[in-house]
Amino acid sequence: MKNLKFAILGCGYIAGKMAEAVKVLENKGMGVELYAAAARELNKAEAFGKQYGVAKAYGSYEDLAADSEVDLIYIATPHSHHYEHAKLCINAGRNILVEKAFCGNVKQATEIIAMAHDKGVFLCEAMWTRFLPAVDVVRGWINAGRIGQVQSVEADFSQPLTHVERLVNPALAGGALLDLGIYSLTFADLFLNEVGCRGNSSGCDCTADGNCVGIVGRDCANYGAPIASLDARCIKTDTGVDATDWINITYKNGKKAYLKCSIATPWHNEGIIYGTKGYIRVVNLNDMEELQVYDAAGQLVESVKPERICNCYEYEVLACKKALESQIPGQAGNDNAHDGSTTFNDIQCPEMTHYKTMEMMELMDSIRDRLGVSYPFEIAPGVTWDRSGNKSILQVFDIEKGKITSLKKFDCVIEAPNWSADGKYITYNSNGRIYKMDLVRSAPDSNSNPGELTAGDITEVPSYYVDNCNNDHVLDPDGSGLYVSHHTKEDGQSRIYKIFFDGREPVLVTPLAPSYLHGITPDGKHLAYCAERNGEYDIYTIPTAGGNEKQLTTARGLNDGPEYDSKGEYIYFNSVRTGRMQAWRMKADGSKQEQLTFDEHWNTWFPHISPDLQKIVTVAYTEVDVKPGEHVPNKMVELRLMRSQGSCSLNGSCNARPFGEPKTILKLFGGQGTVNVNSWAPGSKQFAFVIYEK
């Protein structure tokens, strides 16, 4: 490959550090050229270019992105603007290296990564610590048993920076976490989380010697033990961003991380890895300036200052160059790249994969949720979930006629309509209780019209102390009542109960919590539900009479919404295992798990299979509205229909997928509560759903 023409978007402090490193690589003849820089004002870009020896200067970011000679653009603007500038460069077809933090939140990150894939451009997050040769030195010491078995880490990156306006400005995604805390989190992730592989649950397999074999697009080194518990606390600035954060993480493998970051306390920058026979101290955990090994008595055994070419920013540039050079033209799988042109959407830096970027962004979002820190460009969780004043409209959609019938409008939130097997009533939840609405159909007319469907009497299903039911409930096929998910008063967690139409006392089915019900077998003997156990959300089954639960999924991330088909042969569910929430199905015993939807820009929830097994209805959120594993109310969503393609035709040809591509049939204001449970009518021609007004 010719010299990599490297460009810098933004001419601030961090851009200068990168320019220094790239210029050293250029002067050493290492295949990189400091080609261009851009600022919002031409004179600033020219001054930057003169200082660092940049060949071209641009007075706008748009002009830089339009330069087809550029091989890689480094985005060095504040992380609050990474989303905007990454999209600008991707749309122009430019490969990009985005400074950490990658962007403001997970929703922005998912969109950027998907856009890069669609456009066939290379994308990497510039978390320079992960690219340092020092990382391999520390891992080598750990693997050699220098400190025994690793048990915990401590990391603290603090600097008195509250005088820097950007860092205390919520509009610029200020605060300690995204600017400094990412280093402490990365340190813990490098030396606690990324250890070994987790078998099929992570998409990786272990060989006999313990090495990991990855799957396409994912590196097993980027999979580790999931987080079992997380505690985060902070002191905020007067502007509302986090000034000092304390974060404690316990991983499922039992290892612990005690982390701190601050923009308000005196300078401190080090990480310590504790083992059973000693510890490793890293001076400056961001650039790993010095590495020290201590024995169990606290005596210094060895000290190393890793060599560096310049200031350590150069290593991420060299890694990107290597990744770009490894690309085979026309093999990236982009639908727009059939002309032999070079595309890069399947090539990633193994040191910082897209999966790892997403994992860290999700972790920081989760921490900010606990800290109560949000930015003006976000909708705060409290606002999203505020349903006060919402009105609900229960409607029925006729698939064959394309006709919508409004059954009733409510001055409160109702959720999850569930149609009875005899077609005579619909149940739903509202304000913690379950209600039964009779259905009335007018007399058929002379044209054999079956008659209009209208709402009849509404009665509350007696449930006594089971008075905090959510939108997870299913009807018992014998018509005696419903199984519901109820948040118990003792701990506020969801457990599954059965409540009865005839007023009998509720019966507890799942003592373990949280358990969120979604499906029941046609014979009424087993339930399928989503449950959180040891930090992971997976799908379980349990006899309705009670007993031991059986785990069916192990894929990392949320697996949710399981429901049996009318034959009890398959369980349909949704899973975030591929990065987006998608529809899946599996045999009732958990075998033969297969993906049904492949929406790259949408998150698909709750695949509801019709009684005749020919149709599936799902609800889909656009990637810009929700995190991949998030199912919230008060959003514009789409209801989509998939039809069975059958298995094999008379001529012997077989479809690879059991259902066709999803087709949008309705766009509405809804989300949480719209179709949480199977709402098909017995004849498989109609389904019920809820829309909201706010």
Side-chain angles (χ1 to χ4, degrees):
M1 185 178 179
K2 61 180 178 62
N3 278 353
L4 180 81
K5 290 188 175 181
F6 191 90
I8 300 176
L9 190 153
C11 294
Y13 171 78
I14 202 73
K17 302 292 288 186
M18 177 61 79
E20 290 177 7
V22 174
K23 200 63 181 179
V24 167
L25 295 179
E26 179 181 326
N27 292 336
K28 287 181 174 289
M30 300 183 72
V32 182
E33 174 187 345
L34 188 54
Y35 171 73
R40 292 195 183 277
E41 298 175 358
L42 181 58
N43 59 352
K44 184 175 181 180
E46 289 175 337
F48 184 90
K50 183 177 181 180
Q51 181 178 358
Y52 296 104
V54 183
K56 280 189 176 183
Y58 288 104
S60 78
Y61 300 150
E62 290 77 10
D63 288 345
L64 173 61
D67 188 341
S68 61
E69 292 296 310
V70 173
D71 293 314
L72 182 65
I73 295 178
Y74 168 62
I75 296 178
T77 50
H79 42 245
S80 55
H81 291 66
H82 290 175
Y83 171 72
E84 169 193 350
H85 297 146
K87 290 203 300 180
L88 169 68
C89 294
I90 292 170
N91 282 325
R94 304 281 84 82
N95 305 312
I96 54 175
L97 175 64
V98 183
E99 180 54 43
K100 63 83 200 160
F102 187 68
C103 53
N105 56 38
V106 166
K107 286 186 280 190
Q108 292 181 347
T110 56
E111 185 179 0
I112 292 171
I113 291 172
M115 283 183 64
H117 177 85
D118 289 348
K119 287 288 187 178
V121 302
F122 172 83
L123 167 67
C124 184
E125 181 180 1
M127 171 38 81
W128 63 321
T129 305
R130 291 185 178 274
F131 297 86
L132 300 178
V135 171
D136 292 331
V137 175
V138 175
R139 282 178 169 162
W141 286 347
I142 292 172
N143 292 336
R146 296 288 297 274
I147 60 171
Q149 294 294 317
V150 173
Q151 295 182 317
S152 64
V153 303
E154 291 179 0
D156 182 354
F157 194 3
S158 301
Q159 299 181 44
L161 297 170
T162 52
H163 61 282
V164 179
E165 195 276 337
R166 174 181 69 83
L167 292 175
V168 295
N169 188 342
L172 297 178
L177 182 64
L178 267 63
D179 211 78
L180 301 181
I182 181 62
Y183 288 113
S184 297
L185 292 169
T186 295
F187 189 82
D189 194 64
L190 284 169
F191 303 119
L192 290 186
N193 189 16
E194 295 179 4
V195 178
C197 57
R198 305 194 317 118
N200 291 332
S201 62
S202 68
C204 303
D205 293 320
C206 293
T207 60
D209 59 3
N211 292 323
C212 295
V213 179
I215 59 176
V216 174
R218 295 187 177 180
D219 181 355
C220 282
N222 287 308
Y223 287 83
I227 291 174
S229 65
L230 171 67
D231 178 59
R233 306 182 186 193
C234 80
I235 296 174
K236 296 182 182 179
T237 66
D238 293 340
T239 59
V241 301
D242 53 309
T244 302
D245 303 342
W246 295 270
I247 304 164
N248 295 334
I249 299 173
T250 300
Y251 294 95
K252 198 172 180 180
N253 58 16
K255 298 175 182 180
K256 298 179 181 294
Y258 305 98
L259 313 176
K260 179 193 170 190
C261 60
S262 179
I263 57 173
T265 61
W267 188 92
H268 190 205
N269 184 5
E270 73 171 10
I272 301 177
I273 308 162
Y274 292 98
T276 54
K277 297 180 180 179
Y279 62 90
I280 297 170
R281 176 174 178 258
V282 177
V283 179
N284 287 11
L285 59 86
N286 56 337
D287 65 352
M288 299 192 178
E289 180 181 323
E290 184 176 355
L291 314 175
Q292 301 169 344
V293 182
Y294 292 81
D295 62 20
Q299 298 297 312
L300 179 63
V301 176
E302 184 178 356
S303 178
V304 172
K305 289 189 175 183
E307 293 185 3
R308 55 184 66 194
I309 302 172
C310 181
N311 56 14
C312 291
Y313 285 80
E314 62 272 14
Y315 294 110
E316 60 197 271
V317 177
L318 292 174
C320 290
K321 181 176 185 293
K322 181 179 179 181
L324 290 169
E325 289 175 342
S326 69
Q327 174 64 41
I328 301 174
Q331 298 297 311
N334 189 312
D335 291 339
N336 298 319
H338 300 305
D339 58 356
S341 60
T342 303
T343 56
F344 300 98
N345 60 331
D346 283 346
I347 296 298
Q348 302 175 36
C349 286
E351 298 89 346
M352 193 70 210
T353 62
H354 298 164
Y355 178 88
K356 182 55 63 178
T357 289
M358 285 295 299
E359 185 178 48
M360 299 306 289
M361 289 303 308
E362 287 172 353
L363 178 56
M364 289 193 292
D365 272 14
S366 178
I367 291 170
R368 285 198 298 116
D369 285 347
R370 286 167 168 80
L371 300 180
V373 173
S374 62
Y375 307 128
F377 53 82
E378 299 177 307
I379 300 176
V383 175
T384 298
W385 285 93
D386 180 10
R387 306 180 78 175
S388 59
N390 271 35
K391 298 181 185 297
S392 310
I393 306 174
L394 177 59
Q395 298 187 322
V396 171
F397 186 81
D398 189 305
I399 294 293
E400 293 185 349
K401 299 179 180 178
K403 178 183 177 182
I404 296 175
T405 300
S406 292
L407 293 181
K408 186 175 177 60
K409 186 171 184 177
F410 300 80
D411 289 330
C412 61
V413 172
I414 76 158
E415 299 179 308
N418 195 324
W419 213 310
S420 65
D422 60 11
K424 294 182 178 180
Y425 61 88
I426 284 176
T427 57
Y428 60 86
N429 63 281
S430 181
N431 294 317
R433 295 288 189 174
I434 305 295
Y435 294 86
K436 177 183 176 184
M437 171 190 284
D438 293 332
L439 297 176
V440 179
R441 193 178 292 277
S442 62
D445 60 25
S446 57
N447 296 322
S448 299
N449 189 314
E452 293 296 324
L453 197 65
T454 58
D457 294 336
I458 297 176
T459 56
E460 181 182 324
V461 181
S463 59
Y464 304 96
Y465 55 86
V466 179
D467 58 358
N468 196 12
C469 302
N470 58 34
N471 44 41
D472 305 321
H473 48 82
V474 295
L475 286 156
D476 192 322
D478 67 8
S480 62
L482 303 94
Y483 291 91
V484 301
S485 296
H486 159 65
H487 294 272
T488 57
K489 292 182 175 64
E490 292 76 15
D491 56 11
Q493 298 205 68
S494 176
R495 291 175 172 83
I496 299 173
Y497 288 77
K498 183 175 182 182
I499 61 175
F500 299 88
F501 292 131
D502 62 10
R504 277 176 281 172
E505 289 281 335
V507 175
L508 175 66
V509 181
T510 58
L512 296 178
S515 300
Y516 302 96
L517 175 66
H518 280 278
I520 188 168
T521 52
D523 61 9
K525 292 184 177 180
H526 285 85
L527 300 176
Y529 54 100
C530 167
E532 186 270 315
R533 305 289 183 258
N534 299 316
E536 287 290 303
Y537 283 86
D538 282 297
I539 292 170
Y540 294 77
T541 60
I542 195 170
T544 52
N548 295 325
E549 64 182 15
K550 178 182 178 183
Q551 184 175 354
L552 299 188
T553 63
T554 57
R556 190 170 181 180
L558 178 61
N559 299 276
D560 195 8
E563 64 177 53
Y564 291 93
D565 66 22
S566 59
K567 291 184 177 180
E569 181 181 4
Y570 284 95
I571 291 175
Y572 290 76
F573 65 102
N574 47 275
S575 175
V576 77
R577 67 186 69 180
T578 58
R580 285 280 187 279
M581 185 62 76
Q582 302 290 355
W584 289 69
R585 76 172 183 178
M586 59 184 164
K587 290 288 189 177
D589 62 1
S591 63
K592 297 185 179 179
Q593 298 183 19
E594 58 181 327
Q595 189 172 346
L596 301 178
T597 61
F598 301 83
D599 299 312
E600 293 184 357
H601 296 286
W602 291 80
N603 292 290
T604 301
W605 285 78
F606 303 135
H608 298 313
I609 181 72
S610 60
D612 64 5
L613 309 180
Q614 297 302 300
K615 298 175 283 291
I616 293 175
V617 167
T618 64
V619 60
Y621 292 84
T622 178
E623 65 190 352
V624 300
D625 272 349
V626 297
K627 303 172 187 177
E630 188 176 53
H631 179 234
V632 299
N634 297 334
K635 296 290 184 181
M636 290 302 301
V637 296
E638 294 187 358
L639 293 184
R640 295 179 171 181
L641 179 68
M642 302 167 63
R643 294 186 181 272
S644 172
Q645 297 189 132
S647 53
C648 298
S649 63
L650 294 176
N651 63 13
S653 62
C654 299
N655 290 311
R657 299 180 186 175
F659 291 86
E661 292 295 322
K663 304 295 183 183
T664 300
I665 54 176
L666 291 173
K667 297 181 180 181
L668 53 91
F669 186 71
Q672 177 80 275
T674 292
V675 284
N676 282 61
V677 297
N678 194 308
S679 59
W680 280 99
S684 300
K685 297 179 180 179
Q686 299 171 304
F687 66 87
F689 63 99
V690 182
I691 66 173
Y692 299 99
E693 293 179 355
K694 185 173 178 62

